[in-house]
Amino acid sequence: KAVVNRIAAGEVIQRPASALKEMLENSLDAGATHIVVTCKVGGKALLQIQDNGHGIRREDLSILAERHTTSKLRAFEDLEGIATLGFRGEALASISYVAHLTVTTMTAGSVHGWRATYRDGVMEAGCPKPTAANQGTLISVEDLFWNVPLRKKALKGATEEYNQILDVMARYAVYKAGVSMSCKRQGEARSDLHTLPGASRLDNIRAVFGAAVSKHVVPFELARGSGAAGGAADELHCEVEGYISTADYEGKKTQLVLFINGRSVECTPLKRALEASYAAVLPKACKPFLFLEVRLPGSHVDVNMHPTKKEVGFLHQEDLIEAVRTAVEEKLLASCG
Ligand code: ADP
Ligand code: MG
C-alpha cells in the first residue's frame, strides 16, 4: 500500500519545484501577504516555506496530510466556481509519502503555535507539540524522495532544481504582485528573488525578470463576450490582461507566463502561435516576453484534468488562442510605428 501511495505521490510531486508550487498556492490560499522560501541543495535536502497566512487550527492538524483532506471544497457544486488554488487535498499527503514533512503553524489570537511531523499520510505519534511561533505557517520538506531511489536519482543537479524553483516563484511574484516574496539558499544572506509589499506587476517584472524586460513591455488587454462573468457555453467569454514585449530585449528564450483563472499553466499551442506572430512582425531572432492573466467563466474551465493541475482544459481554446494572437499582432504593429 505504501509503495502504491509513493508512486501516486510521484505523479503530483515530481521535483522540488512542483512541491514548492503546491505549497506556494496553499500560502496564497491562506491569504499570506509575506512569503519566504529557503532551499538547501536545490530544494532536494530542504525546501521550506514560511507565510503569514491564517494558519491551521490545532484540530485540523491531525488529518492535514490524509489524502483528499481539504478545507477548500464544501460541496460538489463548488467545483464549478473554485476560487482557491487547491481543492484536491493531495499535495501535503503526497509530500508526506516521499519526504519528511514538518508543519509549524499558529492561528491569529493564539498564545502559542503547534508543530507536527507527518509520514505516509499520518501525523506522527506525540504530535502536535506546542511551540513558539509567528502567526502563519512554516512548512519544511526534507530529503525529497529519500524512499524512492529511482526518483531521487532522476532529479537534476542542485542548480537546475533551484532555477526551476525560482522560475515558479517568478511567475507567482508577478501574478500576485503586492504579496512580498523572497527565495534564497540556506546560509546565504542575499535573496535570489525578492519582491516588495505593495509592488505593482510591472515593478515585479523588473524585480524578477530584469529591467531589460520591463523597459520593453507594454500593457495588454482583451475582452470577448461577457468576459469572466460568462454566458452561454457555446461561445468564448474571456478577459485577458498583462504585459507583452514589443521590442527585442535580447532574451534567450520565449517567456510566456500564463495564468488561467488563477493557476499557473502551460499552453503549448498558444505559445507556438505567439512565437509565430512575433517572428512575423518583429526581427526573427527576437524572443518575446508575455505575462498573460486569462479569466474565463468558472464553468468553462475543467481544473480537474490532471493531478499536477499544470494543464488546464477549457472550452473554446482555439478561439481564445486566435483572439489573443490577433490582439498581440495589432499591438506589435502599432508599436512598430
Ligand atoms: P488543498 O490545497 O487541495 O486543499 P493541500 O494538500 O495542498 O490540499 O493542503 C491541505 C490543507 O492544508 C488545505 O486545504 C489547508 O486547509 C491546509 N493548509 C496547507 N497549507 C497551508 C498554509 N500554508 N496555510 C494554511 N493552511 C494550509
Ligand atoms: Mg494545496
Side-chain angles (χ1 to χ4, degrees):
K1 179 100 192 297
V3 173
V4 172
N5 279 317
R6 251 173 246 157
I7 292 167
E11 298 282 308
V12 182
I13 306 297
Q14 301 96 358
R15 52 186 354 102
S18 45
L20 188 266
K21 179 177 184 241
E22 295 293 336
M23 295 193 293
L24 193 54
E25 290 188 344
N26 284 343
S27 294
L28 293 169
D29 280 346
T33 56
H34 187 64
I35 297 172
V36 179
V37 173
T38 311
C39 301
K40 208 159 115 186
V41 196
K44 295 190 281 185
L46 171 72
L47 178 61
Q48 183 177 284
I49 178 165
Q50 170 148 41
D51 71 50
N52 66 345
H54 56 52
I56 303 165
R57 291 176 308 170
R58 183 197 195 278
E59 56 267 38
D60 294 331
L61 280 169
S62 60
I63 55 162
L64 193 71
E66 267 170 33
R67 291 195 76 199
H68 309 302
T69 296
T70 175
S71 61
K72 299 171 193 169
L73 197 62
R74 261 145 221 108
F76 181 71
E77 301 84 72
D78 281 4
L79 268 175
E80 282 219 334
I82 296 165
T84 60
L85 300 169
F87 68 91
R88 298 161 163 274
E90 264 181 292
L92 291 183
S94 299
I95 291 170
S96 78
Y97 279 98
V98 294
H100 302 293
L101 173 66
T102 307
V103 176
T104 306
T105 189
M106 189 168 102
T107 52
S110 305
V111 289
H112 66 79
W114 296 96
R115 170 173 299 157
T117 53
Y118 297 86
R119 180 142 180 197
D120 293 342
V122 179
M123 185 168 73
E124 289 189 304
C127 294
K129 296 185 176 84
T131 178
N134 297 315
Q135 194 207 309
T137 302
L138 171 75
I139 299 189
S140 296
V141 175
E142 282 168 285
D143 215 357
L144 184 63
F145 296 134
W146 67 276
N147 52 358
V148 196
L150 284 176
R151 276 284 180 160
K152 191 169 178 173
K153 253 178 94 175
L155 295 177
K156 303 268 167 48
T159 307
E160 169 67 25
E161 294 296 341
Y162 187 58
N163 283 339
Q164 293 202 21
I165 287 170
L166 288 173
D167 186 65
V168 170
M169 293 217 49
R171 290 164 183 266
Y172 280 88
V174 176
Y175 177 66
K176 279 284 179 180
V179 173
S180 79
M181 297 187 196
S182 71
C183 184
K184 64 177 183 134
R185 281 165 289 192
Q186 197 185 46
E188 303 279 314
R190 202 180 149 276
S191 296
D192 299 296
L193 178 144
H194 185 64
T195 63
L196 299 173
S200 67
R201 283 181 169 171
L202 191 57
D203 290 337
N204 286 356
I205 290 175
R206 186 183 311 113
V208 301
F209 291 97
V213 177
S214 66
K215 267 191 289 195
H216 291 108
V217 297
V218 298
F220 176 84
E221 250 180 14
L222 166 74
R224 282 285 183 284
S226 30
D234 59 356
E235 60 176 346
L236 173 68
H237 297 274
C238 71
E239 284 154 19
V240 184
E241 68 177 290
Y243 285 91
I244 69 169
S245 63
T246 53
D248 191 2
Y249 69 95
E250 296 181 358
K252 292 190 188 68
K253 57 171 190 193
T254 301
Q255 299 258 27
L256 173 58
V257 179
L258 178 64
F259 281 77
I260 297 184
N261 286 14
R263 290 163 203 283
S264 170
V265 293
E266 312 272 333
C267 184
T268 308
L270 176 61
K271 192 171 172 181
R272 295 288 165 263
L274 292 168
E275 280 174 333
S277 296
Y278 274 81
V281 181
L282 295 178
K284 289 258 185 293
C286 150
K287 300 293 182 197
F289 171 92
L290 303 108
F291 167 80
L292 298 175
E293 177 192 5
V294 178
R295 292 187 298 269
L296 300 166
S299 60
H300 293 195
V301 184
D302 174 15
V303 287
N304 213 1
M305 255 183 37
H306 194 262
T308 64
K309 298 176 282 180
K310 206 172 177 182
E311 309 273 337
V312 171
F314 56 90
L315 295 176
H316 311 297
Q317 176 162 329
E318 278 171 24
D319 294 344
L320 177 73
I321 292 173
E322 189 51 26
V324 172
R325 192 187 62 78
T326 310
V328 166
E329 276 178 26
E330 275 165 17
K331 198 101 195 173
L332 292 179
L333 286 167
S335 67
C336 286

